[in-house]
Amino acid sequence: MTSPASPAQAARLMKLATYASVSVAAVLILAKTMAYWQTSSVSILASLVDSLMDSGASLLNLFAVRYALEPADRQHRFGHGKAESIAALAQSAFIIVSGVLLLVEATRRLLNPEPIGAFGVGLAVMLLTIAATAVLLLFQGYVIRRTQSAAIRADALHYRTDLLTNSGVVVALLLAQFGWPGTDPLFAIGAALYILWSARSIMGSAFNELVDRELPDSQRARIIAIAEGHPEVRGVHDLRTRSAGRIDFVEMHLELDGSMPLVKAHRISDEVEAAVIAAMPGADVVIHQDPAGIVEVQQDEQLQ
């Protein structure tokens, strides 16, 4: 299992991942433009349009990640991590646009078929595309495991889509070469629909982070178990969680012995905080101490 990166390592890896993404997108755009010019294949056009959208998304990602990595300041006390979610939301918009444009062109080509030329060039370019995308995805996967970056995860999602669609382009070219020309626009239509469907996952994840959705129930249960695992803690209530980029924010109230000295209560809170951060590296944890039984007292007062 890959260990989480330190903040400095995470920043360096995320920047490298964005530079790699932009570089690969630029190379693939040039190669696919040449291939489409020589073949007139609508499935290659589909891949080219997707790469153009990828390049725009990757450039947006580059600037968003650089901004998200800026430390917290007086105007942004919780940091700049949500810039990653904004970038991911924008990327989903890019993907939707590319899917719609591709669907329109593929439908037109299905109704008005055109022959495919320079088969060898088109096949070679698509195989190069698949190899470059696979290498990039391997690196992005490593970065995601080390950093949990939302923006890099969104970037990797549409490159995984590219890998599938590019593999399909190769199949479409081969079938067209062997007497099945209709597979070229049909595949492009299928690729467009898949691109539109994949945008839903990116958009949903980014939206949840922007509206401060709670962390998954399994993580919340783990936090409570860690806190209640301390021998001096009598209970936990008012647990609130959210994420912003690479940082998880955790707020909770610990119930402690009401006669306990404040200095001891503070020490226990520090110990619980350290335990939570050990389980969730990089988390921002805020703990409030309450006397044990306070929840029941408040509930009784509300009933009176």
Side-chain angles (χ1 to χ4, degrees), residues 17-29 32 47 50-59 61 91 95 129-130 132-138 140-141 151-167 194 198 202:
T18 56
Y19 295 148
S21 179
V22 170
S23 300
V24 168
V27 170
L28 295 184
I29 285 171
K32 291 176 184 179
S47 189
D50 196 39
S51 288
L52 286 168
M53 295 300 108
D54 287 349
S55 66
S58 295
L59 281 170
N61 221 25
Q91 284 187 59
I95 294 172
T129 297
I130 290 171
T133 304
V135 171
L136 177 62
L137 281 170
L138 287 173
Q140 287 181 324
I152 304 300
R153 186 180 292 110
D155 207 34
L157 179 57
H158 63 71
Y159 274 109
R160 282 198 298 274
T161 302
D162 288 354
L163 192 61
L164 292 172
T165 55
N166 291 332
S167 299
Y194 182 74
S198 69
I202 300 174

Side-chain angles (χ1 to χ4, degrees), residues 145-278:
R145 290 193 298 274
R146 296 293 305 277
T147 67
Q148 300 301 312
S149 167
I152 304 300
R153 186 180 292 110
D155 207 34
L157 179 57
H158 63 71
Y159 274 109
R160 282 198 298 274
T161 302
D162 288 354
L163 192 61
L164 292 172
T165 55
N166 291 332
S167 299
V169 171
V170 171
V171 174
L173 289 175
L174 289 170
L175 290 174
Q177 184 70 10
F178 290 104
W180 297 76
T183 58
D184 185 48
L186 283 174
F187 170 77
I189 290 173
L193 294 175
Y194 182 74
I195 287 170
L196 292 171
W197 180 83
S198 69
R200 182 184 64 174
S201 175
I202 300 174
M203 186 174 288
S205 177
F207 181 78
N208 285 339
E209 200 164 287
L210 288 171
V211 298
D212 291 332
R213 181 170 180 169
E214 289 281 351
L215 295 179
D217 290 341
S218 59
Q219 282 188 270
R220 288 173 51 83
R222 186 182 184 194
I223 293 168
I224 293 174
I226 290 171
E228 292 182 340
H230 193 288
E232 301 275 8
V233 173
R234 303 286 183 83
V236 178
H237 64 272
D238 288 349
L239 172 64
R240 299 194 300 174
T241 61
R242 63 186 179 91
S243 290
R246 296 171 298 115
I247 302 176
D248 294 324
F249 291 88
V250 178
E251 300 177 14
M252 62 179 147
H253 290 223
L254 292 185
E255 297 177 32
L256 305 171
D257 185 345
S259 62
M260 180 183 295
L262 179 59
V263 65
K264 184 176 181 181
H266 179 73
R267 176 180 59 77
I268 293 170
S269 296
D270 283 348
E271 291 171 355
V272 172
E273 177 183 347
V276 172
I277 293 175

Side-chain angles (χ1 to χ4, degrees), residues 26 33 36 69 99 118 122 128 140 142 182 189 202 218 237 295:
T33 299
Y36 175 64
L69 290 172
L128 170 66
Q140 287 181 324
Y142 172 75
I189 290 173
I202 300 174
S218 59
H237 64 272
V295 175

